[in-house]
Amino acid sequence: MKLILIRHGLTEANEKHLYCGSTDLPLSEAGRLALTEKRESGTLPEISGAVRVLTSGMIRCEETLACLFGDLPHETDADFREMAFGAFEMRSYEEMKDDPDYQAWITGDNEANVTPGGESGNLVKARVLSGLAQISRDGRDTLLVTHGGVIAHIMTALFPEEGKNRYEWQPKPGGGYEVTIDPAGKGTGWRAI
């Protein structure tokens, strides 16, 4: 099966380098413009009526889907939402660099450490991989418009032999991957889009 993963376009939080997971922001004007240019470039995969279309349900993902592919019928799945950053949500590194809770999170094991009032990387990974397992069991070609951290967890799980960490897999806003997955749920190939 084919899985097309696309990260939502730029938001104000991306532009200001803020942690944004559970905050339901729209795309910024620059984000809409960049997605329109991507759509007009002709580099997007063809989406036929046989392809299942999913988003995380967040506004930025809904708007990205509409900008890139128009008004496609689709479903939402909260398993594919970004990490909830809790007390760090909508704040920048500069704002928090002297906060002991923030320093403990970024200098410790932030895969295991839970953000105050939020999630850990491991909790997000388990949620995302549960959703991916359901997509794999379904076996239909799928377009998923989601978040950078979600895509990074998926790519890390599907292609462990590449030795990349989740930050290396995280695509730029509006970017993503076209992935092939075998019937056993193993990634067999990918290309950047």
Side-chain angles (χ1 to χ4, degrees):
M1 70 168 267
K2 185 184 305 180
L3 175 61
I4 300 164
L5 301 165
I6 296 180
R7 182 181 180 185
H8 65 78
L10 277 171
T11 66
E12 181 181 350
N14 298 128
E15 293 167 352
K16 293 181 177 180
H17 305 288
L18 305 177
Y19 287 93
C20 178
S22 60
T23 304
D24 204 8
L25 293 180
L27 297 173
S28 67
E29 193 56 42
R32 283 187 205 84
L33 179 61
L35 292 172
T36 299
E37 289 172 359
K38 185 172 186 101
R39 180 188 70 229
E40 292 172 354
S41 73
T43 60
L44 291 170
E46 185 70 29
I47 303 301
S48 71
V51 173
R52 179 183 188 192
V53 180
L54 289 171
T55 76
S56 72
M58 304 294 282
I59 291 170
R60 55 196 181 265
C61 294
E62 294 291 310
E63 291 180 348
T64 297
L65 175 65
C67 284
L68 293 177
F69 298 101
D71 187 23
L72 287 178
H74 65 282
E75 304 164 47
T76 63
D77 189 334
D79 279 347
F80 298 109
R81 288 191 174 202
E82 185 59 276
M83 179 175 179
F85 290 102
F88 306 148
E89 188 79 20
M90 296 303 291
R91 297 174 68 194
S92 69
Y93 168 81
E94 283 302 316
E95 181 183 347
M96 298 185 292
K97 65 183 177 186
D98 297 322
D99 179 329
D101 290 335
Y102 178 71
Q103 282 301 316
W105 179 64
I106 65 166
T107 60
D109 181 353
N110 67 12
E111 292 296 322
N113 292 349
V114 178
T115 59
E119 295 178 287
S120 71
N122 288 335
L123 289 172
V124 176
K125 179 180 176 181
R127 172 169 49 80
V128 167
L129 295 184
S130 173
L132 176 62
Q134 182 59 46
I135 287 174
S136 295
R137 279 191 300 274
D138 183 52
R140 287 188 287 168
D141 290 349
T142 301
L143 165 64
L144 173 59
V145 180
T146 187
H147 307 267
V150 170
I151 293 171
H153 280 301
I154 290 171
M155 294 300 287
T156 301
L158 289 175
F159 300 101
E161 69 281 358
E162 300 230 3
K164 295 181 182 179
N165 66 45
R166 67 181 169 127
Y167 300 105
E168 293 171 302
W169 279 116
Q170 187 166 311
K172 293 181 179 176
Y177 301 98
E178 186 173 350
V179 176
T180 53
I181 301 175
D182 70 17
K186 181 177 177 358
T188 58
W190 64 271
R191 74 174 183 92
I193 53 173

